[in-house]
Amino acid sequence: MNQTLPSTLGDILLEIGKITKTDLDRAVEVQKRTGQKLGRILIDLGTVSEEDLRLSYSKLLHIPVWEKKKDDHYPLIENIPKVFLISNRVLPLHLHDGVLDIALADPQDSLLIETIALSINKQLRVFAGCEKDILASLESLYEGDVKEEEEDAATSSIEVMEDVEQLRDMASEVPVIRRVNGILTKAIEIGASDVHLEIFEKNTRLRYRVDGVLRELTPPPREIYNAIISRVKIMAKLNIAEKRLPQDGRIKMKVAGKEVDLRVSIIPMSHGEGVVMRILDRTAVMLDLETLGFSQEFLKKLRRVINKPEGMVLVTGPTGSGKTTTLYAVLKEIVSPEIKIITVEDPVEYSMEGVNQIQVNPQIDLTFASGLRSMLRHDPDVILIGEIRDRETASIAIQASLTGHLVFSTLHTNDSASAFTRLMDMGIEDYLISSCVIGVLAQRLVRKICEKCHEAYIPSEDLRHTAGLEEGEPLYRPKGCDACNNLGFKGRKCIGEFLHVNDTIRRLILTRKDSSEIMREAVKMGTKTLWEDGLESVRKGETTLDELLRVSSDT
């Protein structure tokens, strides 16, 4: 009797024991919903490794395996642009006797192979390779190639589009590439956290958020606006044909010599599509509690709870108030070989040594709640949840803190005392909240006055009373100079309030007192409010009273 040979990637992986039938069924179900390739889904699910996939492609297609070696040298192929190779995970290996050897991360992509063969008019011999090895080799192959630099706006993955020629044409439009590069380079130069591109009936707008405040710069011409949006979509692995629905993506690239990640969000508007790119500059982030700007008195209270063996610590504040950076700084302070730390985040903004980080991926049903349930089976000592958004996540986090884990997370509330009422609004019982929450930190970011151009002045009597100043005591205001791009401010610092949950606060929670009453009692026990902490920074000349009023208007 003839044995049936494996005919699909899934069959091969089943045959060599890398996946189970359940794993395959789950991946196929995800494939039906998302349209992603099966191999990529299995890797995202953590079911197989890139090495497993490479071996399976080799067995399925009867092609050799390519393994990266330190002393390998690769040919530059004139007719194949660098961006095309990176986008499609293609590495030229050897050119000999009219045959080009290439390594592919997806050697099943017959359209891609045919396109390459037609472009160079040569025969191809295909090898199965690992995506990470191919990208690393391409990076070394094009290192220092200035001529290609302006076309290398993206080092992230770009899915192979149905019309490969269209992708190549768009990638070769130098004015558009140069414009996008210029927008991103300028953002890095001035220390922007976000780039906003918007289109209206007669004009476009380009704005950068610097130290929390939007600045408008010269926008791109309306005639090339859609081409710029298409370029950004390609870089972020988004569908350039889809203009009716919001899309989110991510770009990893080098801009002005810095490795940066960009979170891209595109939404349809009445006159076109609007784009916001959040810049995650790994070299600029402050992952040290001492450098965030909190007072020593504040840090002493915070350190008292982050070194406890169990309980829940919450960081609250609006979007953009630095909550995630503070939590990363906390983890950096407590990380050690003696404790296991696992996080579940959306997204993982910065990679931390010694910390196990999980990226939320709703497309494959990896949510905060499901990730949290799974991580508890890995025996962690410390857990970080990027944000508590719903009752399910809150309930699992509460249970984790009650069963011997130290849990950190964030909530969107205006002050520390409102965290308790927010959890109750989610449906969490008051006795559970009082039992597990051991501290709540509320914070804001204020712009710091530029040290090179600030000037002292004597405030009016009204301002003096508002700031609690002695008669004749000066305040400081910005002027503007080259060092701060004539803004008068450079950098930001945290102001905060820390509410330690003691027996008195627990009794107020159990009797379901409102946040204002809880806050009044906390102040009686020595809690310094956000406003009071901010005034201290104003009196020290670190920021201005106007800046404090700007960020404290909702407290």
Side-chain angles (χ1 to χ4, degrees):
M1 184 172 64
N2 292 331
Q3 184 178 5
T4 303
L5 295 174
S7 58
T8 68
L9 180 64
D11 292 336
I12 289 286
L13 288 165
L14 283 170
E15 182 188 64
I16 62 178
K18 295 299 181 182
I19 61 172
T20 65
K21 185 67 166 58
T22 302
D23 294 330
L24 181 58
D25 290 343
R26 183 184 178 194
V28 169
E29 196 62 37
V30 173
Q31 187 179 40
K32 289 177 182 176
R33 295 200 311 269
T34 65
Q36 286 181 293
K37 296 181 179 181
L38 184 67
R40 172 47 55 190
I41 293 169
L42 289 167
I43 289 176
D44 289 343
L45 288 170
T47 309
V48 301
S49 66
E50 288 189 19
E51 288 77 13
D52 295 334
L53 208 58
R54 177 181 61 183
L55 178 61
S56 300
Y57 278 134
S58 174
K59 291 176 69 69
L60 175 65
L61 303 172
H62 306 289
I63 58 175
V65 165
W66 170 74
E67 293 185 355
K68 187 176 184 296
K69 296 183 177 64
K70 286 185 178 180
D71 55 351
D72 276 347
H73 297 283
Y74 310 105
L76 287 167
I77 307 301
E78 188 173 305
N79 290 347
I80 308 180
K82 177 174 71 169
V83 68
F84 179 85
L85 297 176
I86 293 172
S87 302
N88 298 295
R89 285 21 179 188
V90 180
L91 177 66
L93 300 176
H94 306 287
L95 181 58
H96 52 90
D97 299 329
V99 177
L100 176 65
D101 292 347
I102 58 171
L104 297 180
D106 180 10
Q108 273 191 303
D109 194 331
S110 57
L111 175 61
L112 174 61
I113 295 169
E114 182 181 353
T115 301
I116 297 170
L118 290 172
S119 298
I120 63 173
N121 195 27
K122 296 185 186 301
Q123 291 185 342
L124 299 179
R125 187 164 65 137
V126 178
F127 289 67
C130 289
E131 179 175 310
K132 65 178 185 296
D133 291 340
I134 289 173
L135 289 175
S137 299
L138 286 169
E139 184 178 353
S140 64
L141 174 62
Y142 288 99
E143 186 175 4
D145 189 347
V146 179
K147 182 180 178 182
E148 294 268 3
E149 214 169 65
E150 67 178 8
E151 295 186 11
D152 189 24
T155 59
S156 63
S157 151
I158 305 173
E159 293 294 332
V160 179
M161 301 176 66
E162 291 183 6
D163 188 348
V164 178
E165 285 302 320
Q166 181 187 12
L167 173 58
R168 181 182 294 176
D169 289 345
M170 294 184 67
S172 65
E173 291 175 1
V174 174
V176 173
I177 295 170
R178 188 179 292 121
R179 178 71 70 162
V180 173
N181 282 355
I183 289 171
L184 297 176
T185 301
K186 183 66 175 178
I188 297 297
E189 286 176 354
I190 65 175
S193 61
D194 302 85
V195 178
H196 294 245
L197 277 164
E198 299 153 305
I199 185 167
F200 303 95
E201 185 176 2
K202 296 180 179 179
N203 64 299
T204 63
R205 175 184 280 174
L206 170 63
R207 294 188 289 178
Y208 296 97
R209 190 175 294 279
V210 181
D211 293 333
V213 178
L214 284 170
R215 289 181 59 196
E216 190 163 0
L217 276 76
T218 304
R222 202 178 192 284
E223 294 74 26
I224 65 168
Y225 182 87
N226 289 336
I228 288 173
I229 302 305
S230 294
R231 179 67 186 171
V232 171
K233 284 183 178 180
I234 291 171
M235 294 164 64
K237 298 167 35 174
L238 302 177
N239 182 359
I240 66 170
E242 179 57 72
K243 299 185 179 183
R244 301 164 300 169
L245 298 172
Q247 296 189 73
D248 294 305
R250 192 163 185 168
I251 302 168
K252 183 178 180 181
M253 58 190 299
K254 183 175 282 189
V255 179
K258 293 184 177 182
E259 292 285 347
V260 297
D261 285 348
L262 294 97
R263 286 161 50 188
V264 179
S265 177
I266 299 179
I267 57 173
M269 296 183 179
S270 56
H271 297 290
E273 293 176 291
V275 178
V276 174
M277 291 180 277
R278 168 67 57 87
I279 299 170
L280 306 174
D281 182 355
R282 298 176 184 273
T283 63
V285 68
M286 297 180 295
L287 295 182
D288 189 330
L289 283 176
E290 294 289 343
T291 62
L292 294 181
F294 293 120
S295 68
Q296 288 302 312
E297 178 188 353
F298 181 97
L299 291 177
K300 184 178 179 180
K301 292 180 180 179
L302 178 60
R303 286 178 169 131
R304 194 177 300 147
V305 298
I306 66 174
N307 287 292
K308 288 185 177 292
E310 60 188 38
M312 179 183 285
V313 180
L314 298 170
V315 181
T316 72
T319 300
S321 58
K323 300 185 295 295
T324 301
T325 300
T326 296
L327 284 178
Y328 278 151
V330 166
L331 292 188
K332 184 182 178 184
E333 180 143 324
I334 66 174
V335 67
S336 78
E338 287 76 37
I339 63 173
K340 181 166 184 173
I341 302 175
I342 306 181
T343 75
V344 55
E345 307 170 58
D346 183 20
V348 173
E349 295 191 0
Y350 300 100
S351 178
M352 293 192 68
E353 187 69 28
V355 176
N356 301 279
Q357 296 171 274
I358 299 172
Q359 167 74 55
V360 167
N361 189 347
Q363 287 189 332
I364 56 173
D365 298 325
L366 179 53
T367 62
F368 280 114
S370 62
L372 185 51
R373 277 194 298 267
S374 297
M375 74 163 66
L376 290 173
R377 293 193 285 270
H378 283 249
D379 190 30
D381 299 291
V382 177
I383 294 168
L384 184 148
I385 308 160
E387 182 184 347
I388 293 178
R389 299 175 178 174
D390 51 52
R391 180 177 180 176
E392 184 181 13
T393 304
S395 297
I396 301 170
I398 293 280
Q399 290 302 319
S401 67
L402 292 173
T403 53
H405 303 87
L406 181 60
V407 179
F408 296 101
S409 190
T410 69
L411 278 176
H412 283 277
T413 63
N414 288 336
D415 58 26
S416 54
S418 297
F420 310 116
T421 53
R422 178 78 180 99
L423 289 173
M424 290 181 196
D425 289 343
M426 288 183 181
I428 305 301
E429 298 292 341
D430 47 36
Y431 68 89
L432 291 175
I433 298 170
S434 66
S435 299
C436 74
V437 179
I438 57 176
V440 184
L441 183 168
Q443 70 175 64
R444 299 290 189 278
L445 291 174
V446 293
R447 292 183 294 171
K448 294 194 295 184
I449 302 174
C450 176
E451 295 179 357
K452 297 192 175 183
C453 66
H454 69 284
E455 62 179 7
Y457 73 101
I458 301 300
S460 67
E461 188 174 348
D462 287 344
L463 284 180
R464 181 167 63 82
H465 285 303
T466 301
L469 300 173
E470 301 291 335
E471 188 170 352
E473 186 177 352
L475 290 180
Y476 293 85
R477 59 191 172 198
K479 287 176 63 179
C481 65
D482 290 341
C484 60
N485 290 306
N486 292 309
L487 296 175
F489 296 93
K490 190 169 184 179
R492 290 188 288 179
K493 72 178 294 287
C494 290
I495 59 171
E497 63 186 30
F498 187 79
L499 197 163
H500 174 65
V501 181
N502 56 20
D503 289 341
T504 302
I505 299 298
R506 289 190 185 95
R507 281 194 292 272
L508 294 175
I509 296 170
L510 285 170
T511 53
R512 303 183 77 85
K513 299 297 183 183
D514 62 31
S515 59
S516 58
E517 190 167 344
I518 293 174
M519 197 68 230
R520 280 196 297 271
E521 191 61 39
V523 169
K524 287 180 186 177
M525 294 184 294
T527 297
K528 185 181 292 184
T529 66
L530 270 167
W531 176 256
E532 291 169 336
D533 193 49
L535 280 179
E536 191 172 302
S537 291
V538 171
R539 298 182 67 177
K540 288 179 180 177
E542 296 171 332
T543 190
T544 67
L545 192 57
D546 285 342
E547 182 67 7
L548 176 59
L549 288 166
R550 181 181 70 83
V551 303
S552 303
S553 59
D554 54 358
T555 62

